[in-house]
Amino acid sequence: MTASSEFVPGPKIKEPRVRSGRLRPGAEQWSWRFMRISGPILVILILTHLFINLVTGDGVSQIDFAFVAGKLAKPLWQWWDFAMLTLALLHGGNGMRLLINDYARRPWLKKLLHGALGVAVIGIIVLGSLVIWTFDPCPTGADPSLIPSFCEAVS
Amino acid sequence: MTATAESPAADAVATMRVEIQILRMNPEGTHEREPGEEYWESFVVEALPTDRVLDALHKIKWDQDGSLAFRRSCAHGVCGSDAMRINARNRLACKTLLKDLNPARPIKIEPIKGLPVEKDLIVDMEPFFASYREIMPFLMTTGNAPERERLQSPEERHRFDDTTKCIMCAACTTSCPVFWTDGQYFGPQAIVGAHRFIFDSRDEGQWDRLEILNDKAGVWKCRTAFNCTEACPRGIEVTKAISEVKRALTTGEI
């Protein structure tokens, strides 16, 4: 047996490096977790949403301004729709982000697409939240036959 | 029919004519092709149903066109040199029988996808090996080396048994749609190679490797398409191994 000498790496074995030069450790892991958690929640939220809107009551023919306004006047459905809006956009937006990472090879294109995606996601969340939280179910001067029945008590 | 026709053996097997279509590329060009141009070329060979695709390729190279280039070494499914895309699936040419491929129709053979083609069916494997090197595929320990073997129980050995079967043929990595689009991804094989050490009770470098695979180009790029598991000629459950690495990363337990 020869005495063990100091380990000399072969010509092709080099020190391991962090391949992407990432700045946020664990970010991809949290993105993955978020997708796994938000997915099942979205399935429940959306299927219940569709069931309440399309199956219960008069079915699809019940959907008019009064129906939507009546729903958006209740805190439960406000929160329900808000959760659906944000989770769907973040889940879908994150999926799009991964697609951009896969397919956009040129750095400037990647940045541009990521930027456009971020603007779209945040813009839609802000606009949707505005509708959900500032919606007036009883606009003044509207035809009483078109607005929810509880509006008479308010006016 | 054949030279031995006057004393036909009772167990003689009928040969058949098989058309083989190969996606070829010559980096230097030929008198009728531009350098680097890809084109399909058809060959017809006389073969037994129990012949392998590799035998058909040999017949072409030895008897018809010596310029055909492909890799093979052991020719028995161990060295992992002859992975190629046969009828749109990654397989080892030496483990695929012609009769399993519907020889009535032309058999299409292409180089494995996602790696630069050097000539005909030969690709540059360097990016693939570079990924493997990056997960540090060697035993990492601390302290003095023991005088005798490093012992482990059969259960501990069984934990990573599946991923020890890898022959590094690149069939899994080059079947992965994420690898096709994104050259940054380590690819399934590197994760299989890491799995073999991460779950080895004798190794102490688990978290170094897990940290490498936790990177942007690591296991989180896997979309569980299962192409790798289907492609593996050794039957390794590749997607399961990748998921075990993901679980180790999310739970922090090995």
Side-chain angles (χ1 to χ4, degrees):
Chain A
M1 293 281 276
T2 53
S4 64
S5 55
E6 198 184 337
F7 172 70
V8 182
K12 287 206 164 172
I13 297 177
K14 52 189 186 315
E15 284 292 304
R17 65 185 167 91
V18 176
R19 177 177 279 231
S20 63
R22 83 203 133 103
L23 299 170
R24 290 153 295 186
E28 287 302 315
Q29 183 180 342
W30 280 107
S31 137
W32 185 85
R33 282 187 185 176
F34 171 75
M35 298 303 262
R36 304 285 142 154
I37 295 164
S38 60
I41 297 175
L42 273 170
V43 168
I44 296 167
L45 287 175
I46 293 170
L47 286 184
T48 312
H49 170 83
L50 291 175
F51 181 77
I52 300 273
N53 283 12
L54 303 178
V55 180
T56 57
D58 294 336
V60 69
S61 56
Q62 72 188 332
I63 299 178
D64 53 13
F65 180 85
F67 177 79
V68 176
K71 267 185 89 183
L72 280 181
K74 293 179 192 129
L76 168 71
W77 291 112
Q78 282 185 324
W79 282 107
W80 193 284
D81 285 6
F82 180 68
M84 220 158 50
L85 172 78
T86 46
L87 281 181
L89 276 158
L90 292 177
H91 187 97
N94 196 28
M96 283 300 294
R97 183 185 68 88
L98 297 176
L99 279 179
I100 293 169
N101 279 345
D102 278 356
Y103 287 98
R105 305 231 176 133
R106 270 162 273 168
W108 64 266
L109 183 65
K110 200 178 251 191
K111 259 190 193 143
L112 182 77
L113 290 172
H114 277 156
L117 178 70
V119 169
V121 166
I122 292 169
I124 297 172
I125 289 179
V126 167
L127 290 177
S129 308
L130 273 176
V131 171
I132 292 171
W133 298 116
T134 63
F135 183 72
D136 179 9
C138 306
T140 47
D143 182 349
S145 66
L146 295 180
I147 55 177
S149 53
F150 57 77
C151 285
E152 290 164 34
V154 180
S155 56
Chain B
M1 287 221 315
T2 55
T4 55
E6 42 187 45
S7 60
D11 56 352
V13 183
T15 59
M16 56 182 187
R17 288 165 69 80
V18 187
E19 186 182 348
I20 311 270
Q21 292 180 354
I22 301 175
L23 185 63
R24 304 197 59 182
M25 189 280 271
N26 190 328
E28 289 155 358
T30 60
H31 56 277
E32 51 197 10
R33 302 282 177 183
E34 296 282 311
E37 183 188 341
E38 289 193 341
Y39 60 97
W40 288 93
E41 190 167 356
S42 266
F43 299 93
V44 176
V45 292
E46 196 81 17
L48 297 170
T50 49
D51 274 346
R52 305 159 302 169
V53 172
L54 184 65
D55 296 320
L57 288 174
H58 278 154
K59 279 177 189 166
I60 294 168
K61 184 168 177 71
W62 294 341
D63 301 337
Q64 297 185 24
D65 185 349
S67 72
L68 178 68
F70 58 90
R71 278 198 189 101
R72 67 103 174 82
S73 291
C74 77
H76 290 83
V78 178
C79 71
S81 298
D82 62 352
M84 43 191 82
R85 197 167 149 91
I86 301 166
N87 279 1
R89 267 192 62 187
N90 281 0
R91 320 175 208 232
L92 295 183
C94 56
K95 281 185 87 175
T96 310
L97 299 187
L98 292 174
K99 69 184 172 73
D100 297 335
L101 287 173
N102 184 14
R105 292 179 53 87
I107 292 167
K108 295 197 163 204
I109 304 179
E110 301 159 68
I112 45 180
K113 283 175 76 174
L115 292 169
V117 178
E118 290 189 331
K119 187 183 178 190
D120 293 342
L121 300 173
I122 295 180
V123 296
D124 179 9
M125 300 278 277
E126 184 47 33
F128 170 80
F129 291 136
S131 287
Y132 184 59
R133 282 199 297 276
E134 228 155 296
I135 55 100
M136 300 184 284
F138 39 80
L139 186 76
M140 291 159 72
T141 58
T142 52
N144 296 326
E147 282 185 20
R148 302 203 49 200
E149 301 93 331
R150 298 172 196 271
L151 296 178
Q152 71 183 164
S153 68
E155 292 75 35
E156 287 169 335
R157 177 62 178 71
H158 182 72
R159 182 72 191 82
F160 61 94
D161 185 64
D162 201 33
T163 43
T164 60
K165 300 174 192 160
C166 180
I167 56 174
M168 302 192 59
C169 65
C172 60
T173 292
T174 56
S175 73
C176 174
V178 181
F179 185 79
W180 293 338
T181 59
D182 184 352
Q184 287 271 299
Y185 181 40
F186 280 103
Q189 193 282 327
I191 302 171
V192 163
H195 180 283
R196 181 251 171 275
F197 286 97
I198 289 168
F199 295 96
D200 186 339
S201 59
R202 298 165 295 188
D203 187 80
E204 292 170 41
Q206 305 97 338
W207 285 104
D208 294 323
R209 294 194 184 86
L210 283 170
E211 204 38 59
I212 292 167
L213 292 179
N214 195 19
D215 184 51
K216 208 169 146 192
V219 286
W220 309 114
K221 276 216 166 275
C222 168
R223 311 282 151 74
T224 54
F226 280 92
N227 280 16
C228 47
T229 305
E230 276 180 30
C232 180
R234 306 283 292 176
I236 301 172
E237 295 175 294
V238 183
T239 314
K240 186 182 172 201
I242 297 174
S243 295
E244 284 175 358
V245 173
K246 282 181 190 163
R247 173 171 297 174
L249 276 166
T250 46
T251 62
E253 288 164 25
I254 292 167

